[in-house]
Amino acid sequence: MKLIQKQSVFHNEVLTRFELYKSLFLTLPFQSVKHTGTILPFFSTHCEKGVEEHLAPQEIIDTFFDQYEQYVQEEDRIDFLFRIVQYIERQVVLFDAVEDSAFHSVGKNEDTGVLQALFIRAKDNPSLKKKIVNKLHDFSVRLVLTAHPTQFYPGPVLAIITDLIEALKLNDVPNIQLLLQQLGKTPFINKQKPTPVDEAASLAWFLENVFYRVASEIQAKIDSEMEVPVEEVKQLIELGFWPGGDRDGNPNVTAESTKTVANMLRTILFRCYYRDFKNVKRRITFRGAEKYLDILQDLFYDNSFHPKENPEDETSIILDNLRALKEVLDTQHDGLFAELVEDLTRKVLTFGCYFTTLDIRQDSSILKDTFNYLVKNNNDTQLDLEMISNSEDEKEKTMPFTELDLTHNEQAEPLVADTLDVIRLLKDIQHAGSERAAQRFIISNCQNASDILGLMQLFLWSGWKKDTLTIDFVPLFETVDDLSRAAEVMRSLYMNSEYTKHLKMRGNKQTIMLGFSDSTKDGGYLMANWSIYRAKIELTTISREFDVDLVFFDGRGGPPARGGGKTQKFYASMGKEIANEHIQLTIQGQTISSQYGSLETAQYNIEQLLQAGIVSEIQQKDGDTLTNKQKHIIDQMAQVSHTKFMALRKHPLFLKYLETLSPLKQLSNVNISSRPVKRNSGKELRLEDLRAISFVTSWSQLKQNIPGFYGVGTSLQWAEENNLWSYVQNLYETSGMFKTIIDNCMMSMTKSNFDITAYMEKDETFGEYWTMLRDEFELTKKFVLKLSKSEVLMEYYPVERASILAREKIILPLLTIQHYAIRTILDKDLTEEREAIYTKLVARTIYGVVNAGRNLA
C-alpha cells in the first residue's frame, strides 16, 4: 500500500505538474516554437510506435516526414530535427526542475532512515547516545567534487534551473513563464572547451551557495542534539576538490591553473564570510565589540576584494577575534546575538582559509618519468643511475630518501616540469590556507610500493624536509589486477621504515583510494564490485595488523556502472571486516546538481551518508559481515561473470560496435570538459586508453548499459544450476552490500531499451553480436526479477522507476534522431559539408540524453 501511495504522490506532484507546465512552452514568443511544440507529440508517438515495431531509425524518420509536405527538402528536415532536439533539451530541464521542486513530497523515499530519526531514538536511550557521541569523535564524511562531465548543463542553465525550482515550489506561473523564456534564449552548449579554471569556477557555485551553508547547519544540528559545545566541535563534514588539481590524463591542468584555482577558492570563501559578517556587524552595535569588529572587517574585506599575491593563513586571527567578540557578548550583553558569532565561528572552524582541500592527482607513469628525469639529469649530486633500472624489491630497499633541492631545465617534458612545479607550489598553497588546503597527492594506476615511495622522494628532492612533509600519499587502485595486489603493495609500504616514520608523523592515518570506473571497464559489473569489497577486507586486515588508521576514499561516479546508485546503502552495510570510520567519495556531474544542488537535497543526502556511517558501526546487522561460505559463493559468481565479460571484451567487434553505432567519436567534439575523451589522444583507439566516462556514456547512448549488468545473469544462472540458489537468495535478503549490487544492476537495466536498436538483429556485420548482448540482458532480467521476487524491474522503488520511465519517454525522439544521423553517415556517400551537419546533429542529441538520464555517464 505504501508503494502505491508513493507512486500516486509522484504522479500528482511531478508527472501531472510537468504536463501542465510543459504547455507553457507553446506560449513563448519564439520563432517556430509553437510549430515545433505542436508537432512534437505526433513525432514522439511515431517514434514510440516505430521502436515497438523494431523499425530502423531511417524508416521511422522518413515515414514521419512523408506525412508532411513542408518537409520534402533535406534542409527543411534537418532544420526540424535540430529544433526538436532544442525543444526536448528544455523539456528535460523542466522535468528536472519539477521533480526537484517536489523533493519534499516525493524525494525522501529511502528506507535507510535519516539522521534525525537516529537522534530521536538516542534521546531516550543514554547508551545509544553515548555510542553515537563516541563514534562522532573519530568520524567524518568527505565529499570530493570532481569535474568529470556526467551532466552537460552550462553554468547559466544551472542557475536558471535553481530559480525555476524555487518558482515551481510556489507555483509562481508568471515567474515560471519568464524563466522558461530565458531558458529558450540561453545556449545549452559551450562554443569552446572549458579550461580547468572554468570547471573550478562552475563547481565553486555549489560551494558558495549550497555547501557553505549546509555543512555548518548540519554540524550545528548535531552539536545541539548531542550537546557538544562549539569549542569542542570535531569537523564532521569535509570537502575536497579536483578541478585544477587533477592532472591525470589532462595535459590542460598546469601548476599555474592549480595556483589560480587555489586562490579563487580562498577568495570566494572570504566573500562568503564577509556576507555573514555584515549581518553580524549590523546586529552587534554594543560597546566593547568595536575593536574586534574592526579587525574582522578589515580581514574579511581585504581578502574578499583585494587578495594578496601570496596570502597567509589567517584562520587563528579570525577565530581569536570571534571568540573575543563572543566573550564580550556573554559577559557584558547577556549573550545577545551570540548565536550569529557562533555560526560564523563554526564556519571558520570548518573551512578555515581554504574552503575545500585541493587534491593533486597524477598517473604513476608520469611520476616515474619525473623520477627518472631527475636521476638522469642530476647524477653528479649523489644520485645513482642504477635507481632507474633496479628491480621493484631493490627500489623499495634502496630508495635513498635524501633531502636535496633539485630543479628542472627547459628541456624537461611538460608533464615532468609540471609535476616538479606543483610539488613546490603545494608549499605556497599550504602557507595560504594551512595544510588542509592541499595535503593529498593521489597516485593513479598505482601498482607497486615504489610508486608511492618514489613520489615521496620527489618531494624530498624538491625542497621539502622529512620532518615537515605535511603531505599524505594516496595510492589509487583501479583495475581488477591492481585491486587483487593492493594488500601486498600496502604491506610493503607499512614495512618500509622511512614510510612508517612519515606515516606516524601524519597521525598513523593512511588514505587509500579505490576506483570503480576503470575496474568496471576492466572486469565487468559484478567482478568490479566484488574486487573492491574484497580489497577493502584485505586492506583493512593489513592495516589493523600494523595498527594503521585506514581511510577508504571511493572513486564513485553517478551511475551503478561507475560505483554510484544507492551509495549510502553500501556504507551502511560494510560489516566488521571493513574500516568505515570515515566516508570519502567523489561526487561529479549530475550527482552534484541533482543530489547536492539545493540546500534541501544536499542536507538530506549528506545526512544519509552520516547516518550510514554511524549505523554501520553501532547498529550492524548480522548479514553485513559475510561468512566464508558467502564470500566463496560471491567469488565464484564474480569469476563466472568476469569470464563472460572478458569474452565480450575480447570479441573482435567489441570496440568496432561501440565506435560504429554509438556517438563515441562525437564525444570528443562536445565542449563539455577540459579533459580529452581518451588518453594518448593522438593514437588509435585502445580500450585501455578509453576513459571510463566515455565508455559508459557510449553504452548508455545506445540504451544498452552493458557495464551495469553484463555477466550478472550468467552468474546467477550458474548459481541456480549448481544448487546454490538458496544461498544467493539468502544473500540478497540479509547482505546489504549484495542487495545494493543487485538493486543498482536493476536500475541500469531500467535505463536500457534494446527495442531502440532491435533493427540491428538482421545486420550482416553486427546482428549476432547485438543478439548476444540482448540475450544476456534478458537472462539477467529473468534472474534478478526472480531473486528480488518482482514482476518488473525496480518494483520496490516505484518513484525512481516512474522517474526513469518518464525521462526515457521524453528522450526517445532524441535517440531516434541520433541513430538516424549515425546511420545516415554510415550508409550514405555524403559530402564533407553534409557529413559535418549530421555529425553536429549526433553531438547535439548527446546533451539531452545524458541530462535526462541523471548519472548515465
Side-chain angles (χ1 to χ4, degrees):
M1 186 63 183
K2 189 177 180 181
L3 297 180
I4 296 174
Q5 289 176 342
K6 286 183 177 180
Q7 201 164 5
S8 176
V9 171
F10 183 83
H11 187 276
N12 293 332
E13 294 293 324
V14 179
L15 299 182
T16 300
R17 293 176 73 221
F18 171 67
E19 291 299 324
L20 289 172
Y21 287 118
K22 191 170 67 173
S23 63
L24 288 179
F25 275 115
L26 299 179
T27 68
L28 300 181
F30 300 136
Q31 182 182 3
S32 302
V33 163
K34 186 170 183 178
H35 180 64
T36 306
T38 303
I39 295 181
L40 177 57
F42 300 103
F43 183 71
S44 297
T45 301
H46 188 82
C47 290
E48 288 173 22
K49 185 178 179 182
V51 168
E52 286 175 6
E53 295 175 358
H54 297 174
L55 300 181
Q58 297 99 314
E59 188 175 355
I60 295 174
I61 299 293
D62 289 343
T63 54
F64 174 78
F65 282 131
D66 288 344
Q67 302 174 41
Y68 296 88
E69 294 181 359
Q70 66 267 42
Y71 297 117
V72 174
Q73 299 299 319
E74 184 182 24
E75 288 184 4
D76 295 328
R77 294 184 173 193
I78 291 292
D79 179 65
F80 173 78
L81 293 177
F82 270 111
R83 283 192 278 114
I84 287 288
V85 171
Q86 293 168 342
Y87 199 96
I88 292 177
E89 281 177 338
R90 284 152 179 81
Q91 281 194 342
V92 171
V93 170
L94 179 60
F95 192 89
D96 278 351
V98 171
E99 188 170 40
D100 290 346
S101 71
F103 177 79
H104 185 75
S105 302
V106 300
K108 299 180 180 180
N109 58 1
E110 293 290 353
D111 56 10
T112 52
V114 290
L115 197 61
Q116 190 61 34
L118 185 64
F119 289 155
I120 290 172
R121 294 202 303 273
K123 277 188 176 180
D124 300 321
N125 188 335
S127 175
L128 177 60
K129 182 176 180 179
K130 184 178 180 180
K131 287 181 180 179
I132 294 174
V133 171
N134 289 338
K135 170 68 176 177
L136 294 176
H137 277 312
D138 189 28
F139 175 62
S140 62
V141 168
R142 179 178 294 200
L143 300 173
V144 181
L145 280 66
T146 79
H148 296 336
T150 58
Q151 64 92 20
F152 300 161
Y153 291 137
V157 175
L158 283 173
I160 294 171
I161 293 175
T162 301
D163 294 339
L164 191 55
I165 290 169
E166 295 306 311
L168 285 163
K169 285 180 181 178
L170 301 172
N171 287 319
D172 184 354
V173 175
N175 195 22
I176 292 169
Q177 195 160 15
L178 281 173
L179 289 167
L180 291 178
Q181 192 169 334
Q182 181 186 1
L183 192 67
K185 287 181 173 291
T186 302
F188 270 51
I189 58 173
N190 299 312
K191 288 187 176 180
Q192 296 179 323
K193 283 185 178 291
T195 67
V197 176
D198 293 334
E199 292 169 332
S202 178
L203 288 185
W205 186 92
F206 295 99
L207 293 176
E208 181 178 3
N209 294 284
V210 179
F211 290 105
Y212 175 73
R213 282 182 55 185
V214 168
S216 61
E217 286 174 4
I218 294 176
Q219 184 83 53
K221 184 164 81 170
I222 293 174
D223 296 343
S224 176
E225 293 283 355
M226 296 293 104
E227 300 175 308
V228 180
V230 68
E231 295 301 324
E232 297 178 20
V233 168
K234 157 73 172 63
Q235 187 177 348
L236 284 173
I237 302 165
E238 303 171 351
L239 297 176
F241 206 71
W242 275 21
D246 178 18
R247 54 236 315 122
D248 176 21
N250 191 351
N252 299 310
V253 179
T254 64
E256 187 60 35
S257 59
T258 301
K259 180 180 180 180
T260 300
V261 169
N263 290 339
M264 179 182 69
L265 290 171
R266 192 179 193 278
T267 301
I268 291 172
L269 173 63
F270 270 94
R271 288 178 183 171
C272 291
Y273 287 157
Y274 186 62
R275 282 198 297 269
D276 281 355
F277 174 74
K278 286 195 294 184
N279 191 37
V280 170
K281 191 175 181 182
R282 188 180 299 118
R283 294 288 169 262
I284 300 175
T285 53
F286 319 135
R287 292 192 182 281
E290 303 94 330
K291 173 185 175 183
Y292 309 114
L293 289 171
D294 288 345
I295 294 172
L296 291 168
Q297 164 75 26
D298 291 341
L299 268 173
F300 290 140
Y301 184 84
D302 289 344
N303 281 284
S304 295
F305 303 107
H306 303 292
K308 299 176 183 176
E309 176 65 24
N310 296 300
E312 297 181 357
D313 178 22
E314 298 175 294
T315 305
S316 59
I317 300 174
I318 297 170
L319 288 173
D320 286 346
N321 282 277
L322 286 172
R323 287 162 180 158
L325 182 60
K326 184 174 181 296
E327 185 176 354
V328 169
L329 298 178
D330 289 341
T331 57
Q332 300 178 34
H333 303 288
D334 302 316
L336 189 60
F337 298 126
E339 70 279 1
L340 296 178
V341 179
E342 281 192 350
D343 176 64
L344 186 52
T345 300
R346 186 175 284 105
K347 286 170 179 170
V348 176
L349 285 168
T350 300
F351 302 116
C353 285
Y354 66 99
F355 213 162
T356 171
T357 301
L358 184 61
D359 286 343
I360 307 299
R361 183 172 75 133
Q362 184 55 283
D363 189 88
S364 61
S365 62
I366 304 300
L367 301 178
K368 287 175 186 174
D369 290 344
T370 307
F371 184 95
N372 295 343
Y373 165 83
L374 285 182
V375 171
K376 290 176 181 177
N377 286 273
N378 293 278
N379 60 339
D380 58 337
T381 55
Q382 308 172 32
L383 301 191
D384 187 350
L385 280 172
E386 289 186 3
M387 285 193 289
I388 296 174
S389 56
N390 279 342
S391 67
E392 172 60 26
D393 187 52
E394 289 172 330
K395 285 179 181 178
E396 292 176 22
K397 290 179 180 178
T398 61
M399 190 70 66
F401 295 108
T402 50
E403 296 177 349
L404 298 170
D405 199 350
L406 307 178
T407 58
H408 62 81
N409 57 40
E410 294 179 358
Q411 280 70 48
E413 292 289 331
L415 294 178
V416 168
D418 173 70
T419 301
L420 295 173
D421 287 343
V422 80
I423 286 174
R424 291 179 179 275
L425 175 64
L426 285 171
K427 271 192 176 182
D428 297 333
I429 296 175
Q430 289 192 355
H431 180 72
S434 81
E435 71 173 69
R436 293 194 298 171
Q439 66 189 71
R440 308 201 303 190
F441 203 119
I442 301 164
I443 304 101
S444 294
N445 194 30
C446 185
Q447 299 178 329
N448 301 293
S450 65
D451 292 336
I452 298 99
L453 299 176
L455 177 58
M456 183 174 164
Q457 180 63 79
L458 286 179
F459 273 79
L460 298 178
W461 283 342
S462 301
W464 290 77
K465 305 297 182 183
K466 293 180 187 178
D467 57 353
T468 55
L469 185 52
T470 50
I471 297 292
D472 297 319
F473 300 102
V474 181
L476 167 54
F477 302 107
E478 295 185 90
T479 67
V480 172
D481 185 49
D482 290 347
L483 287 164
S484 69
R485 294 187 294 105
E488 175 189 334
V489 170
M490 294 313 298
R491 179 180 288 277
S492 297
L493 265 185
Y494 293 155
M495 293 177 68
N496 184 283
S497 59
E498 287 293 335
Y499 190 78
T500 300
K501 290 177 187 175
H502 174 71
L503 208 55
K504 286 182 179 178
M505 190 181 71
R506 301 299 296 157
N508 229 30
K509 181 179 288 187
Q510 174 67 55
T511 301
I512 297 175
M513 186 174 182
L514 303 176
F516 278 78
S517 300
D518 283 311
S519 55
T520 305
K521 188 184 77 171
D522 182 51
Y525 178 73
L526 187 56
M527 177 57 87
N529 277 279
W530 175 241
S531 295
I532 288 169
Y533 191 85
R534 185 173 54 192
K536 283 192 172 187
I537 294 175
E538 294 170 352
L539 289 165
T540 300
T541 301
I542 293 292
S543 298
R544 287 173 178 171
E545 179 184 333
F546 285 88
D547 197 27
V548 172
D549 182 11
L550 179 59
V551 179
F552 285 118
F553 173 26
D554 292 315
R556 292 177 174 271
R562 297 186 54 245
K566 302 178 185 304
T567 306
Q568 73 281 358
K569 289 192 173 183
F570 274 115
Y571 290 116
S573 60
M574 286 294 97
K576 298 176 182 177
E577 295 181 295
I578 293 177
N580 202 32
E581 284 75 26
H582 306 275
I583 291 176
Q584 298 191 6
L585 70 157
T586 56
I587 57 172
Q588 52 198 247
Q590 256 192 357
T591 308
I592 301 174
S593 57
S594 65
Q595 296 185 18
Y596 302 93
S598 69
L599 298 173
E600 189 175 28
T601 57
Q603 179 169 333
Y604 176 70
N605 284 292
I606 292 173
E607 287 186 359
Q608 285 283 70
L609 288 171
L610 287 166
Q611 189 258 2
I614 295 170
V615 165
S616 70
E617 181 166 317
I618 66 174
Q619 291 183 356
Q620 282 190 2
K621 298 176 182 176
D622 292 338
D624 288 339
T625 301
L626 300 178
T627 65
N628 289 333
K629 175 70 173 178
Q630 288 174 323
K631 291 176 188 174
H632 183 59
I633 291 172
I634 299 177
D635 190 64
Q636 288 178 294
M637 291 173 61
Q639 293 296 338
V640 171
S641 176
H642 183 246
T643 300
K644 181 73 173 178
F645 184 78
M646 291 307 292
L648 178 71
R649 269 191 49 165
K650 292 175 182 176
H651 195 289
L653 293 179
F654 184 67
L655 274 182
K656 186 178 180 182
Y657 180 86
L658 207 57
E659 275 193 292
T660 304
L661 300 178
S662 83
L664 176 60
K665 293 178 180 178
Q666 284 76 21
L667 281 173
S668 61
N669 299 320
V670 177
N671 294 326
I672 54 164
S673 172
S674 67
R675 185 186 300 276
V677 169
K678 65 186 184 75
R679 298 174 176 89
N680 298 320
S681 55
K683 300 180 180 178
E684 182 181 349
L685 178 66
R686 300 184 306 163
L687 183 60
E688 52 267 37
D689 292 334
L690 184 60
R691 294 201 163 276
I693 288 177
S694 306
F695 179 69
V696 175
T697 300
S698 298
W699 284 113
S700 71
Q701 296 282 319
L702 281 167
K703 284 298 158 190
Q704 294 173 4
N705 290 336
I706 295 301
F709 76 84
Y710 198 85
V712 174
T714 296
S715 67
L716 290 172
Q717 183 182 48
W718 173 89
E720 183 181 61
E721 291 173 348
N722 286 271
N723 300 316
L724 295 171
W725 187 258
S726 60
Y727 290 98
V728 177
Q729 189 73 60
N730 179 259
L731 268 168
Y732 183 76
E733 292 169 356
T734 60
S735 167
M737 176 275 296
F738 188 75
K739 185 179 190 302
T740 304
I741 288 175
I742 298 299
D743 288 353
N744 281 347
C745 175
M746 285 195 276
M747 184 189 297
S748 283
M749 296 177 72
T750 304
K751 294 181 178 182
S752 300
N753 185 354
F754 274 80
D755 285 345
I756 294 173
T757 49
Y759 68 94
M760 290 299 303
E761 188 172 13
K762 298 176 183 178
D763 186 87
E764 288 186 14
T765 305
F766 298 112
E768 289 185 11
Y769 190 82
W770 179 91
T771 301
M772 179 176 66
L773 301 178
R774 191 273 317 275
D775 289 350
E776 181 65 16
F777 175 86
E778 293 298 336
L779 183 69
T780 305
K781 181 179 178 181
K782 170 187 171 182
F783 279 100
V784 296
L785 289 177
K786 180 179 179 179
L787 186 61
S788 61
K789 298 178 181 178
S790 306
E791 296 295 324
V792 294
L793 295 170
M794 296 184 71
E795 181 177 334
Y796 299 108
Y797 303 97
V799 170
E800 289 170 296
R801 173 181 165 81
S803 175
I804 289 170
L805 295 180
R807 291 168 177 276
E808 294 300 316
K809 184 175 181 178
I810 292 170
I811 60 162
L812 183 61
L814 288 186
L815 292 163
T816 306
I817 292 171
Q818 180 184 108
H819 291 289
Y820 165 76
I822 290 173
R823 295 304 315 192
T824 301
I825 295 170
L826 289 173
D827 299 340
K828 293 188 178 182
D829 185 19
L830 301 177
T831 64
E832 187 175 330
E833 183 180 359
R834 286 178 65 212
E835 182 174 336
I837 293 172
Y838 281 100
T839 299
K840 182 180 178 181
L841 184 59
V842 173
R844 285 304 309 272
T845 62
I846 295 173
Y847 288 83
V849 175
V850 170
N851 291 339
R854 283 209 160 176
N855 304 324
L856 279 176

